[in-house]
Amino acid sequence: MNDDERFMGEALGEARKSIGQTSPNPAVGAVLVSRNRVVARGHHRRAGLPHAEIECLQRFKRDLPKDATLYITLEPCSSVGRTGACTDEIVRSGVKSVVIGATDPNPRHRGRGLEILQNAGIEVRSGVLAEECAGLNEAFNKWIATGIPFVIAKCGMSLDGRLTRPKKEGRWITSAASRRHAQRLRAESDAILVGAETLRNDNPHLTIRGPGNSRQPIRVVITRSGKLPRNARIFTDLHAKQSLVYRDVPLAAVLAELGKKDVVSLTIEGGGDVLGHALDQRLIDKVQIYVAPIFTGGGVPAFGAEGARSTSSSARLDRIGFKKVGPDFCVTGYPKYPPIAAGE
């Protein structure tokens, strides 16, 4: 590992502090380096507050050393939004060397920040740990380019692929450890979506539980009939204003509408028909599935709906990850969809 990679790793550590806090902005970290050591750090805390590179520079209270190098995980913004253009602030700071991880995923601005810094006489190196830096903002990268939220399918199922136990038995299939682990995903999501049957049968909270969680996701219910229990928790609790209902609206259209509301990331939590339709329509970008070591024979498959017409047309999981969580296994990955055959 060379020095650029080492210090970009430090900036990535700063950026990880921002995950789940900055939407609809990306998570970004920065460090200022002089004499081969970090002399200031910064990360973007939430939308409207200074961006990572600006916080980092502001934290260095003295004149910048001539050898100072600023490391940033993402190309600095060159446009004015809730805050000023970061490129202008960097130029004014007097820093002479900037190292950047990932380029701006916004097609309208990609490369412009690099060009502005270079035209100001600043030495710019880019692409350092680019894959790691870009992966940190996989949801933002999709939303900023398409306007559609990054969709994660999450469920807890048995070894025989069921979401339910036999009737009159307990609700939960997976362990308490898995449910606690899944709270991290909710904390990083802008919205949680369920179908009407999940709302009727489970009456879920769909909130982030635990101390210090002031930010709660938008809760979305899709329904054909519109017949929903008005006393459901999501309509009556302290966060009721953050609950949305879409009646007889195609899922793809719901996602497009939520994208316009600055929903960058969305987690589908059930039920089986909703998860199945999302998969059939190729709307799922990532899965996070908790598999319990039991066979239930329950009535609800994890991914119902029509399903693939053939093995060759099936979605296959790419970049698969496995993690043991209590007695369960958490499987993550990215569905890879085959080309649509003629006539399908």
Side-chain angles (χ1 to χ4, degrees), residues 193-196 198 222 251 268 270-279 284 304-305:
L193 184 146
V194 298
T198 296
I222 56 174
L251 183 55
I268 299 177
D273 283 345
V274 176
L275 289 165
H277 282 301
L279 187 63
I284 296 173

Side-chain angles (χ1 to χ4, degrees), residues 69-144:
T69 298
L70 181 63
Y71 288 80
I72 318 167
T73 57
L74 183 66
E75 178 182 352
C77 65
S78 55
S79 57
V80 177
R82 297 187 189 184
T83 60
C86 290
T87 48
D88 294 344
E89 294 293 329
I90 292 171
V91 171
R92 279 195 288 266
S93 76
V95 69
K96 298 301 182 184
S97 179
V98 175
V99 180
I100 292 165
T103 54
D104 192 332
N106 188 337
R108 295 177 297 172
H109 302 301
R110 185 178 299 133
R112 195 164 79 182
L114 304 180
E115 184 180 0
I116 289 171
L117 297 181
Q118 290 169 334
N119 289 343
I122 296 174
E123 178 194 9
V124 177
R125 301 190 295 280
S126 62
V128 177
L129 299 185
E131 186 175 342
E132 293 91 327
C133 291
L136 196 70
N137 290 301
E138 59 185 4
F140 176 82
N141 296 344
K142 178 194 176 184
W143 174 78
I144 199 65

Side-chain angles (χ1 to χ4, degrees), residues 2-339:
N2 60 37
D3 285 344
D4 277 352
E5 291 174 340
R6 177 162 64 94
F7 291 123
M8 188 59 72
E10 294 283 341
L12 273 166
E14 289 296 309
R16 291 187 184 101
K17 298 176 184 178
S18 302
I19 294 175
Q21 305 299 315
T22 61
S23 188
N25 292 347
V28 184
V31 296
L32 186 68
V33 174
S34 176
R35 296 184 180 180
N36 211 35
R37 67 185 184 89
V38 175
V39 294
R41 301 172 181 271
H43 63 276
H44 187 36
R45 296 176 183 273
R46 67 172 183 268
L49 292 183
H51 290 182
E53 53 270 53
I54 306 309
E55 180 179 270
C56 180
L57 290 168
Q58 289 175 346
R59 285 188 166 187
F60 191 76
K61 302 297 184 181
R62 305 181 297 279
D63 292 337
L64 286 181
K66 291 182 179 180
D67 72 332
T69 298
L70 181 63
Y71 288 80
I72 318 167
T73 57
L74 183 66
E75 178 182 352
C77 65
S78 55
S79 57
V80 177
R82 297 187 189 184
T83 60
C86 290
T87 48
D88 294 344
E89 294 293 329
I90 292 171
V91 171
R92 279 195 288 266
S93 76
V95 69
K96 298 301 182 184
S97 179
V98 175
V99 180
I100 292 165
T103 54
D104 192 332
N106 188 337
R108 295 177 297 172
H109 302 301
R110 185 178 299 133
R112 195 164 79 182
L114 304 180
E115 184 180 0
I116 289 171
L117 297 181
Q118 290 169 334
N119 289 343
I122 296 174
E123 178 194 9
V124 177
R125 301 190 295 280
S126 62
V128 177
L129 299 185
E131 186 175 342
E132 293 91 327
C133 291
L136 196 70
N137 290 301
E138 59 185 4
F140 176 82
N141 296 344
K142 178 194 176 184
W143 174 78
I144 199 65
T146 66
I148 306 299
F150 185 84
V151 177
I152 303 169
K154 187 226 99 176
C155 66
M157 69 180 189
S158 61
L159 281 172
D160 51 341
R162 302 292 165 165
L163 296 180
T164 57
R165 290 175 177 269
K167 291 182 179 181
K168 297 183 180 181
E169 292 203 7
R171 169 184 169 189
W172 302 112
I173 288 178
T174 54
S175 65
S178 288
R179 297 195 293 276
R180 287 192 298 270
H181 188 269
Q183 285 290 311
R184 301 175 196 172
L185 178 58
R186 281 190 182 177
E188 295 172 9
S189 299
D190 294 327
I192 309 296
L193 184 146
V194 298
E197 281 302 304
T198 296
L199 185 70
R200 295 186 192 108
N201 295 333
D202 297 343
N203 192 17
H205 291 277
L206 303 182
T207 54
I208 306 167
R209 293 185 284 280
N213 290 311
S214 58
R215 177 183 174 274
Q216 293 291 342
I218 295 171
R219 298 169 303 183
V220 182
V221 182
I222 56 174
T223 172
R224 293 190 184 92
S225 67
K227 296 178 181 179
L228 301 173
R230 303 317 301 175
N231 62 344
R233 292 187 178 105
I234 69 167
F235 300 134
T236 57
D237 65 11
L238 294 175
H239 311 291
K241 291 183 178 179
Q242 291 178 244
S243 298
L244 301 175
V245 175
Y246 288 90
R247 179 180 179 183
D248 204 23
V249 179
L251 183 55
V254 171
L255 295 178
E257 182 62 28
L258 291 172
K260 293 176 183 177
K261 297 179 183 292
D262 288 346
V263 171
V264 173
S265 58
L266 175 141
T267 299
I268 299 177
E269 292 201 5
D273 283 345
V274 176
L275 289 165
H277 282 301
L279 187 63
D280 288 350
Q281 295 171 42
R282 301 176 172 223
L283 299 175
I284 296 173
D285 298 297
K286 185 177 182 179
V287 300
Q288 184 160 316
I289 300 172
Y290 297 87
V291 183
I294 58 172
F295 297 90
T296 70
V300 180
F303 289 82
E306 183 178 334
R309 296 187 179 183
S310 65
T311 301
S312 61
S313 65
S314 300
R316 296 178 183 272
L317 213 55
D318 193 22
R319 291 178 282 162
I320 304 172
F322 296 94
K323 181 177 182 179
K324 197 166 189 306
V325 182
D328 309 325
F329 277 95
C330 177
V331 181
T332 58
Y334 300 80
K336 192 173 183 179
Y337 301 100

